[in-house]
Amino acid sequence: MRIALATAIAAFALDDDLPPLLDALRARGHVAEAVAWDDPTVSWSRFDLVLLRSTWNYTECPAEFLAWCERVAASTRLLNPPDLVRWNTDKRYLSDLASKGVPVIPAHFLAPGDDPASFPTHAEFVVKPCIGAGSRDTQRYTAPNRAAAIAHAKRLLDAGRHVLVQPYLEAVDTAGETALLFFAGRFSHAIRKGPLLQRDGAATAALFAPEAITPREPSSAEIEVAHRALAAIPGGAPLYARVDLLPSTDGPQLLELELTEPSLFFDHAPGSAERFVAAIESTLAD
């Protein structure tokens, strides 16, 4: 099978998942190559499968990216599929999950035209765009710096972007974040991310913020919340899903459900790239 791993021109040298995944695919006899989604010279129909991987710059041109997904899916198979990608690339999907009983960090959304000062008061909170990745345009604020947070929200709204404001869960500063990886609905492995956002700090100017990653054994409560999130996905569990959870006094809460271009952290879990390839083969055989 001929398989394209869709990355971005700017991400070729930054995606640590690409080499082990390419090796695992080729070891199973597949013809696999990394190809940039934003390279207009690529003929996507020559592939039997296009697998979304490190298309991390899509947040700069979401409409163009979604249109590209539709074109690719019309000529070959794209995973995860376009309808799911469209739903998942806008963090307003968190409202859908919350309505289905998934414990989501409380979220307040602002739309262009809304008063940027209308979000709730929190001792510490995070302001981010609804379409965003890699912590770009994301900042952590304290209540005394609410004016700066309002100005941040206003800049995003004035640019036509929807905004998400959430309380900052301080337990992450010591416990970190847990990301659970699922392939075709089955748990594969988990990692710990150290805290990313500095109090009243600046947003990253890079393609993504540097992360401190270590393997982690998830708790039974984290596994349970992750399965609840997967069960709430429209159409059921897809080929790949990453469930990002934060600790709270009320138990694990969902930060994000990554179904588009999540890092899968193969280097931190021996055998995980091979498990992913097995999930690909099983999915395509269905």
Side-chain angles (χ1 to χ4, degrees), residues 4-232:
L5 305 184
T7 181
I9 293 172
F12 262 107
L14 302 176
D15 183 359
D16 293 336
D17 286 343
L18 287 179
L21 183 52
L22 286 168
D23 289 346
L25 286 166
R26 291 165 180 166
R28 290 285 298 171
H30 301 290
V31 178
E33 60 181 293
V35 189
W37 82 271
D38 48 352
D39 180 351
T41 68
V42 176
S43 175
W44 298 99
S45 61
R46 66 188 177 92
F47 297 103
D48 302 300
L49 169 67
V50 177
L51 189 64
L52 291 173
R53 294 308 316 124
S54 40
T55 57
W56 295 330
N57 62 347
Y58 80 89
T59 60
E60 300 168 5
C61 48
E64 180 181 344
F65 174 69
L66 292 172
W68 172 84
C69 288
E70 296 287 354
R71 289 196 304 273
V72 170
S75 62
T76 186
R77 188 161 184 180
L78 179 73
L79 293 176
N80 283 331
D83 286 349
L84 191 58
V85 169
R86 183 178 299 277
W87 176 78
N88 185 242
T89 49
D90 189 320
K91 291 178 178 60
R92 287 177 289 179
Y93 72 81
L94 293 170
S95 292
D96 294 341
L97 297 180
S99 70
K100 295 178 180 180
V102 179
V104 174
I105 297 172
H108 183 87
F109 296 98
L110 297 170
D114 288 347
D115 179 358
S118 62
F119 58 85
T121 298
H122 302 289
E124 286 196 69
F125 57 97
V126 175
V127 176
K128 64 176 72 171
C130 286
I131 298 178
S135 296
R136 297 193 304 279
D137 296 314
T138 299
Q139 290 180 254
R140 170 185 173 187
Y141 294 97
T142 55
N145 280 317
R146 183 179 174 88
I150 292 170
H152 178 186
K154 185 177 186 302
R155 287 194 299 273
L156 295 173
L157 295 170
D158 287 349
R161 304 175 75 179
H162 290 251
V163 174
L164 168 60
V165 181
Q166 293 175 296
Y168 185 82
L169 302 185
E170 61 181 12
V172 72
D173 287 338
T174 52
E177 174 184 332
T178 301
L180 298 91
L181 287 303
F182 290 81
F183 303 148
R186 294 187 176 183
F187 174 69
S188 171
H189 59 286
I191 57 93
R192 176 193 185 274
K193 288 185 182 183
L196 282 175
L197 302 177
Q198 299 299 312
R199 183 175 291 164
D200 295 320
T204 181
L207 191 59
F208 57 88
E211 298 174 328
I213 306 296
T214 53
R216 167 168 276 179
E217 187 69 27
S219 68
S220 58
E222 288 172 328
I223 290 285
E224 191 269 336
V225 170
H227 278 293
R228 288 170 66 182
L230 292 182

